[in-house]
Each structure stands twice: as structure tokens, then as C-alpha cells.
Amino acid sequence: MRVVLIVASLSAATSAFAAECRQDRAIYGDRDGGYELTFEPTGSDAAATSHHFKLKVLSSRTVLDGIVMPGDPARSNGMVMYNCPEGDVTGEEIAACTVWEGVIYALNGAGDAADLPDESATAAAGVLLSGFGPSLRYSKLWDEGKASAVPWDLLKLKGCAA
């Protein structure tokens, strides 16, 4: 009986926590604890991107940059990049530093998929970066030893940035 009460209170606390966290402050982790994805505000309503995030490879402290762009038809199209040049860059330079590109799905508590919520909306219970694990495995990060464990494509809400 005591175990049931503890599980029920943890579940209720997680639901309450998720309801209080905005998408632009949500922190997600993979099931093995090797990767952490943290959303951050885009900083402008006029930005061409709808979301920004950092993805940390915890074993090497490597930080990847991520963006989400709305698509047509409506999709949350994401990119994860590593060590991209700044300023006026060519498409070839962006392609060379892109680790993953695909659709990011927001998952609710029941596992239903949708586009990412707006930055100011309640954070999704999970995010799915379709094909991210295999893409990372065959990237230069792997070759350089900055990543050594293939992450799952699913990351679950684990915190909220202040």
C-alpha cells in the first residue's frame, strides 16, 4: 500500500511540475542519462526559428546547438549542429556541421505525438527526435570521441530551467 501511495504522489508531482513549466524552459533527458536537451527562449517574435535548444553529451560535456523551424505542412522541423561557423555561412558549411535534421515530435503523457507547443505554452511530457541516435552514431562527434553512447530518440521531461 505504501509503495502505491509513493508512486501515486510522484506521478501527481510530475504532472503538476509539467503543468508549471513552459516549453522554452523545459529540460529533457534520455532514458540512460547520457544526454540532456534544454530549450531556451528564441529572444525574438520575429525569429525565423520557433524554438532554440542546447543538447549536451554528458560524458564529454560537449554541447550541440539546436533549432526548430515551422514547416509546411505544419511540422516541427529540427536541426542539431556542432561547431558551426558564425556569421555569413554557406549552405555547404551548415551541412558540414549538421549532426541531425528531421522532425521533432512533442509527446503527451499518453504517448500521442504532435508539433512542439509554442514557447510560452506548457512543456510537452517528452520529445522525439526521429532518427537522432543513428545520425549521431555516424557523425563526426562519434569519430572525434565526443560521443560514445547512442542515445534513444525519445527524451522525457526531467526539469525546468529557472
Side-chain angles (χ1 to χ4, degrees):
M1 178 73 166
R2 179 177 262 172
V3 173
V4 171
L5 291 174
I6 291 171
V7 169
S9 33
L10 284 175
S11 180
T14 301
S15 296
F17 169 74
E20 296 173 8
C21 188
R22 291 171 30 138
Q23 189 63 51
D24 64 356
R25 296 184 299 130
I27 303 170
Y28 297 88
D30 72 315
R31 81 173 192 188
D32 298 328
Y35 295 83
E36 184 176 88
L37 187 153
T38 304
F39 280 93
E40 51 192 32
T42 59
S44 169
D45 289 336
T49 55
S50 61
H51 299 78
H52 291 178
F53 60 89
K54 299 286 186 197
L55 198 145
K56 296 176 190 168
V57 181
L58 299 177
S59 64
S60 67
R61 299 182 187 205
T62 300
V63 179
L64 311 173
D65 294 307
I67 60 169
V68 179
M69 297 169 290
D72 184 23
R75 293 286 184 271
S76 302
N77 299 308
M79 293 176 70
V80 174
M81 299 159 288
Y82 173 66
N83 212 16
C84 282
E86 294 193 23
D88 192 16
V89 296
T90 66
E92 188 174 288
E93 290 171 314
I94 293 292
C97 65
T98 299
V99 174
W100 171 84
E101 187 172 0
V103 177
I104 297 180
Y105 295 99
L107 302 177
N108 65 18
D112 296 325
D115 286 332
L116 282 174
D118 290 336
E119 284 192 310
S120 60
T122 301
V127 291
L128 177 70
L129 284 71
S130 181
F132 176 68
S135 185
L136 179 67
R137 168 60 186 95
Y138 294 103
S139 73
K140 70 179 182 180
L141 284 171
W142 195 272
D143 295 339
E144 294 176 4
K146 298 193 184 309
S148 58
V150 177
W152 292 93
D153 295 350
L154 171 64
L155 296 109
K156 293 183 180 177
L157 185 65
K158 72 174 210 172
C160 193

